[in-house]
Amino acid sequence: MKLEEEKNKDAIKMAWATLEAKVRKNKLGGGKDRLKKLEEKGKLSARKRINLLVDNPDEVLEIGVLAAENMYSEYGGCPSAGVVVVIGKVAGKSCVIVANDATVKAGAWFPMTAKKNLRAQEIAMQNRIPIIYLVDSAGIFLPLQDQIFADKEDFGRIFRNNARMSSMGILQIAAIMGSCVAGGAYLPIMSDESIIVEKTGSIFLAGSYLVKAAIGEDIDNETLGGADTHSGISGVTDYKVKDDEAALNKIRSLVDKIGYRPKAGFKRSEPQLPSAPLDEIYGCLPKVRNQPYDTYKLLEHLVDANSMDEYKKEYGQTLITSYAKIDGWSVGIVANQRKIVKSKTGEMQFGGVIYGDAADKATRFIANCNQRNIPLLFLQDVTGFMVGSKAEHGGIIKDGAKMVNAVANSVVPKFTVVVGNSFGAGNYAMCGRSFDPRFMVAWPTAKIAVMGGVQASNVLLQIEKATSKKGDKKVQAQKEEDLKKEIQSRYEEKTEILYAASQLWVDAVIDPVETRKWISTGIEAADESPAEEKFNMGVLQV
């Protein structure tokens, strides 16, 4: 490998190693001491429960492991938002699994916990796959109740989704493996079937202390809402089991009996390895992120060998549009070409910028994929649409609007991988979070923002200068330089992918070699959900 590629490889591996260390720490939840105390109570940790439930723990995809990173520090933090969410196979069927982490504030719900749970339900609804709740939670974290209780996308939306999924025929199974109190008690009971574990599982609208305070009744929690009470007296739960392992075995048995439904019919042939080794993909991205590179080389490490049929190769070259296969699955790829290209008119076009001809090509290609029932994969490294008088006079807004419209109205599943930059309206056109990709993941050197840090700091500096008083020119120049550095540092902190992951703008930050696995698993899950509508772009026709 060339020296430059070695440097590129080292840079992205170092970035991933830093993030991976945070991932490992988060997977310990509240820490080793709290995990030990949990075991002493006869309970398994959230992650051990998941590992025992799924067919193969090595094949699961975890959503939002970095959610809430660097948030809620005044309360001691909330690793992974206090809940573990994975996509994995149970009894051979793709399922969403949601497990409260009782080592993090007793599994209490923070605002980001609700956001992560809603994302889990969204994945189940989009793909029409079962969702399994492993419940062990103290309910809403009261100091932050004003940020989680009342709004549209808050705690109550969970129960609305419970009801909607049931009406859609999406199976929901809940296992009550610890506390389940107050409003949170509705989640397992609004599921289709519920399991409760003896001695450790309990469910009630108000615990014994609140009952005493409210109506003066003396009663213990087990009698109030334990397994015997809800299995034999109230009839609230459907199955009583002796321990965590028995609950997980019961879930597997129930999932194993689910009947078959029509699939979406996405094409899959025998998987082939890429023409270039996957583990050498690290060298494709330049260490300095604003340098150009050839996206075709990156694709050689991702797609099955000899599977690309490129659409309009010579036209609109700042976007690559190609039919291909990934792990045997047919996909339509829309990828930003990051090298500088020369158009047929002789114009030099910047890599990573979407020009009018590229947007026009992408719009037609997206329509083709919808017509042929081919899932779409967007590989983002985009700085935005072209600007300037020539672009404006050529109708860049109209061409960009058509592309955005095509992405928004697509009925085939969309998947997005942020390889590098994801700036401005390019984020939208290349299927950012707002456009409902089934999965959106990012590589460790990715950035998401309205614009790059240098450009943003220059704009913000101009605003600061316009509002400041004139003084000594030398002093003023130094102040401007210091202010520019401060603005750029502050701005770039929130463009880093760790910040995006903490906010759940992406489902995961992944090691680049995991990219094929995420896409393949995502399409397999999406194959469970046939499109209910036909592709229609409305008034903005191609």
Side-chain angles (χ1 to χ4, degrees), residues 4-5 8 12 281-299 317-318 320 335-341 350-352 379-382 417-421 443 445:
E4 194 64 32
E5 289 181 346
N8 296 342
I12 196 167
I281 197 170
Y282 303 102
C284 293
L285 294 186
K287 180 180 178 180
V288 180
R289 293 299 302 114
N290 60 359
Q291 288 184 351
Y293 63 90
D294 191 349
T295 304
Y296 285 106
K297 290 184 178 180
L298 187 151
L299 289 171
Q317 295 180 60
T318 61
I320 298 170
N336 298 111
Q337 170 58 294
R338 277 305 309 268
K339 76 173 185 179
I340 298 172
V341 298
F350 297 104
L379 294 178
Q380 287 193 7
D381 195 346
V382 58
V417 181
V418 186
V419 173
N421 299 321
W443 287 7
T445 51

Side-chain angles (χ1 to χ4, degrees), residues 102-346:
T103 69
V104 180
K105 295 291 187 294
W109 288 59
F110 284 68
M112 284 303 299
T113 315
K115 186 172 183 178
K116 191 168 172 180
N117 273 265
L118 288 169
R119 176 64 185 135
Q121 291 182 322
E122 181 182 38
I123 292 170
M125 287 189 281
Q126 284 179 327
N127 298 291
R128 297 296 182 97
I129 57 177
I131 183 167
I132 298 164
Y133 307 100
L134 306 181
V135 183
D136 194 347
S137 172
I140 286 176
F141 187 64
L142 291 179
L144 297 176
Q145 65 84 26
D146 63 311
Q147 300 176 38
I148 187 174
F149 176 68
D151 209 349
K152 181 179 179 181
E153 298 296 324
D154 282 351
F155 194 61
R157 191 76 170 182
I158 304 287
F159 313 131
R160 176 264 187 193
N161 287 349
N162 285 144
R164 291 289 302 129
M165 281 191 282
S166 187
S167 72
M168 293 165 68
I170 299 170
L171 177 64
Q172 300 172 85
I173 299 174
I176 303 156
M177 310 176 87
S179 297
C180 186
V181 299
Y186 287 105
L187 185 147
I189 307 312
M190 291 189 73
S191 298
D192 300 301
E193 294 194 273
S194 60
I195 301 160
I196 190 166
V197 178
E198 292 180 18
K199 307 303 180 186
T200 58
S202 60
I203 180 167
F204 32 65
L205 295 181
S208 56
Y209 291 126
L210 185 53
V211 168
K212 174 67 174 176
I215 64 174
E217 181 183 5
D218 281 312
I219 190 169
D220 63 89
N221 282 340
E222 185 66 24
T223 306
L224 181 65
D228 289 338
T229 296
H230 285 311
S231 295
I233 299 174
S234 71
V236 164
T237 55
D238 304 307
Y239 306 95
K240 181 178 73 171
V241 295
K242 65 177 182 178
D243 55 26
D244 281 6
E245 291 190 24
L248 300 171
N249 287 334
K250 178 61 71 176
I251 294 170
R252 289 184 59 84
S253 182
L254 293 171
V255 173
D256 187 45
K257 296 175 177 64
I258 298 173
Y260 294 101
R261 294 183 184 275
K263 291 184 178 289
F266 303 130
K267 178 66 181 292
R268 191 180 198 187
S269 53
E270 187 67 28
Q272 302 292 327
L273 291 174
S275 59
L278 186 57
D279 59 2
E280 292 181 10
I281 197 170
Y282 303 102
C284 293
L285 294 186
K287 180 180 178 180
V288 180
R289 293 299 302 114
N290 60 359
Q291 288 184 351
Y293 63 90
D294 191 349
T295 304
Y296 285 106
K297 290 184 178 180
L298 187 151
L299 289 171
E300 289 175 1
H301 297 271
L302 287 180
V303 304
D304 293 8
N306 303 314
S307 68
M308 286 183 62
D309 295 301
E310 190 169 354
Y311 177 78
K312 291 183 181 291
K313 182 176 182 177
E314 291 78 21
Y315 180 67
Q317 295 180 60
T318 61
L319 278 177
I320 298 170
T321 51
S322 180
Y323 306 106
K325 292 199 172 183
I326 292 181
D327 198 32
W329 291 104
S330 296
V331 294
I333 296 173
V334 181
N336 298 111
Q337 170 58 294
R338 277 305 309 268
K339 76 173 185 179
I340 298 172
V341 298
K342 188 174 183 180
S343 72
K344 290 300 178 182
T345 61

Side-chain angles (χ1 to χ4, degrees), residues 360-395:
D360 174 67
K361 174 174 76 170
T363 302
R364 289 179 172 274
F365 179 72
I366 290 166
N368 287 353
C369 288
N370 276 271
Q371 182 193 53
R372 301 170 196 185
N373 201 29
I374 300 175
L376 285 159
L377 169 63
F378 294 84
L379 294 178
Q380 287 193 7
D381 195 346
V382 58
T383 53
F385 284 89
M386 189 57 190
V387 297
S389 61
K390 186 174 181 179
E392 297 292 0
H393 297 171

